[in-house]
Amino acid sequence: MTPWIRVCAASELLPGEMKVAWDGDTPILVFNYDGTLYALEDHCTHEDYELSSGKFDARGGTIECIYHGSRFDVRDGRALNPPAYAPVPVFPVKVEDGAIFTRDDRGD
Ligand code: FES
């Protein structure tokens, strides 16, 4: 099983904030959406662009790619409007000993 990687202390990712962590070559974008944590690949499925440059709408729970404007649901990665159609991969996230952890589990 792929080991967990530490993102940050739980106190460093408040509701409405997001943070990028790397698991090997995989950039993972972790969101605090209204007190619940979610993790998506930091990669738009339309073209090769990082979602973390975009705006996290902490009320609607979406992240908008600033390149062409597709929005994704941070809870399940689904694309909400074109030009992206494919969902962004979702990764597990947990809090342990006061820190946030995630991992790219696709190789498990
Ligand atoms: S690269 Fe994200 S919408 Fe085009």
Side-chain angles (χ1 to χ4, degrees):
M1 191 174 84
T2 317
W4 292 87
I5 54 146
R6 188 180 188 279
V7 179
C8 63
S11 59
E12 292 175 331
L13 189 65
L14 300 175
E17 295 181 338
M18 61 180 175
K19 197 173 283 277
V20 179
W22 288 82
D23 186 353
D25 293 335
T26 305
I28 301 178
L29 185 54
V30 181
F31 301 88
N32 184 332
Y33 173 36
D34 210 14
T36 304
L37 301 172
Y38 300 94
L40 301 180
E41 185 170 18
D42 185 16
H43 190 260
C44 184
T45 55
H46 176 232
E47 285 182 11
D48 185 14
Y49 208 79
E50 72 272 6
L51 290 174
S52 54
S53 296
K55 184 176 177 340
F56 173 27
D57 177 351
R59 277 181 299 185
T62 61
I63 179 78
E64 179 175 339
C65 178
I66 60 166
Y67 206 7
H68 306 106
S70 280
R71 289 176 306 117
F72 298 87
D73 190 316
V74 303
R75 296 167 298 181
D76 56 14
R78 75 196 147 100
L80 300 172
N81 61 282
Y85 292 97
V88 175
V90 176
F91 299 122
V93 59
K94 68 174 181 179
V95 176
E96 202 169 277
D97 297 330
I100 298 169
F101 295 84
T102 188
R103 63 192 183 93
D104 180 352
D105 61 350
R106 290 177 294 186
D108 288 1

